[in-house]
Amino acid sequence: MTATIDIQNNIALITMDDGKANAINFDMLAALNEAVDKAEADAKAIVLAGRENRFSGGFDLNAFASLGPEGVYKLLDAGAEFLLRLYGGPLPVVAACTGHAIAMGTFILHACDTRIGAAGEFKLGANETITGMNLPIFAIELAKARLNPVHYTRAMVQAFIYDPKGAVEAGYLDMLTDADKVVDTATGIAGQLSQLPGSAYAYNKRAMRKETLAAIKASIGKHHG
C-alpha cells in the first residue's frame, strides 16, 4: 500500500502509508496522482496526511541508487509535477503532518495551502546539503515562496533540521496540535475552506502563485543542479 483516499462530506482524505518512511518513488507518486484525480472529481477540498509519526522521509534513496542518472531526473521531474498539482491545483489542500518530514516531505508541505503539524519529538527539514545533494529548482522556488526569509540560509543552505515548534517559525508548518488530533484538525480546516467559492479560490490561488509555478514548470525536463 502507498496511498489511499476516503471522501466524506466533500473532503478527500488522502493518506500516505507505505508501512515505512512514506518514501516518494514512482509507485507513491502514481498512487497520489490517482487519489488527487478522484479528489478533484468528487470533493471540494483535500487533506493530505501521513502515517502515524511519519509524514514523509523524502525521495526514495534506494530508487535513486538503482535508477541511474536519467532515471533520477525522471523521478525528480515526476515529483515536481506532483508539487505543481498541489500548489497550483483548484482545490484547497491542507496538510496533516503526522510526524517527521524530511527533504521532499517538506517540499510537499510547501505545496499545500495550510499545514497542520503534530507536536512532539519530530524532525522537519531539507537535508540535501547534509547528504551532498544539489537542491532542485522546485525546492528552491517553493522555499522562497513559503519559508520565513530569515530562515532561508539556515534551512536550505545549512540544512538545519527543526523540531515542530521551530518548523512553524521557519515556515514549514502553520500551526501545531496534539499528534492524535492532527488529521481531525486538518479536516476541520479543510471543511471551512471547502465553503469558499471554488472558482474564486482556484483563480486566486493560481494568480498569487503564477511566478513560482512558472519557474518550476520551466525546470521540468532539464538537468537539475
Side-chain angles (χ1 to χ4, degrees), residues 6-158:
D6 179 38
I7 299 177
Q8 302 287 338
N9 300 317
N10 293 317
I11 308 302
L13 173 60
I14 299 173
T15 304
M16 298 180 286
D17 188 353
D18 64 1
K20 299 177 183 178
N22 286 342
I24 304 301
N25 50 35
F26 287 117
D27 289 341
M28 178 66 83
L29 288 170
L32 287 170
N33 278 305
E34 182 178 350
V36 173
D37 287 342
K38 184 169 180 58
E40 290 181 349
D42 299 331
K44 294 182 178 180
I46 294 170
V47 172
L48 180 59
R51 62 195 300 266
E52 185 177 2
N53 297 327
R54 182 80 62 173
F55 185 70
S56 173
F59 278 113
D60 187 341
L61 297 183
N62 290 328
F64 275 2
S66 63
L67 287 171
E70 290 304 315
V72 169
Y73 291 138
K74 288 180 180 179
L75 181 53
L76 287 170
D77 284 340
E81 293 276 12
F82 177 67
L83 295 174
L84 285 174
R85 288 200 74 177
L86 296 183
Y87 197 59
L91 299 184
V93 183
V94 181
C97 185
T98 44
H100 303 294
I102 300 296
M104 182 61 172
T106 64
F107 309 145
I108 292 173
L109 292 177
H110 286 329
C112 296
D113 300 341
T114 302
R115 295 80 49 89
I116 313 304
E121 296 183 5
F122 300 117
K123 297 179 180 180
L124 299 92
N127 67 346
E128 277 74 8
T129 299
I130 294 172
T131 57
M133 299 176 67
N134 295 341
L135 288 164
I137 296 299
F138 61 75
I140 294 169
E141 293 297 328
L142 286 171
K144 289 179 182 177
R146 302 308 301 271
L147 283 181
N148 179 342
V150 174
H151 286 263
Y152 283 171
T153 296
R154 193 181 196 200
M156 303 303 290
V157 178
Q158 299 172 348

Side-chain angles (χ1 to χ4, degrees), residues 124-204:
L124 299 92
N127 67 346
E128 277 74 8
T129 299
I130 294 172
T131 57
M133 299 176 67
N134 295 341
L135 288 164
I137 296 299
F138 61 75
I140 294 169
E141 293 297 328
L142 286 171
K144 289 179 182 177
R146 302 308 301 271
L147 283 181
N148 179 342
V150 174
H151 286 263
Y152 283 171
T153 296
R154 193 181 196 200
M156 303 303 290
V157 178
Q158 299 172 348
F160 187 81
I161 304 300
Y162 296 82
D163 63 15
K165 184 177 179 180
V168 172
E169 180 183 343
Y172 287 116
L173 299 171
D174 295 303
M175 63 174 287
L176 301 180
T177 189
D178 294 339
D180 61 353
K181 298 178 181 177
V182 171
V183 173
D184 286 345
T185 300
T187 301
I189 291 173
Q192 295 171 5
L193 295 175
S194 73
Q195 301 302 310
L196 295 171
S199 59
Y201 191 98
Y203 176 87
N204 292 334

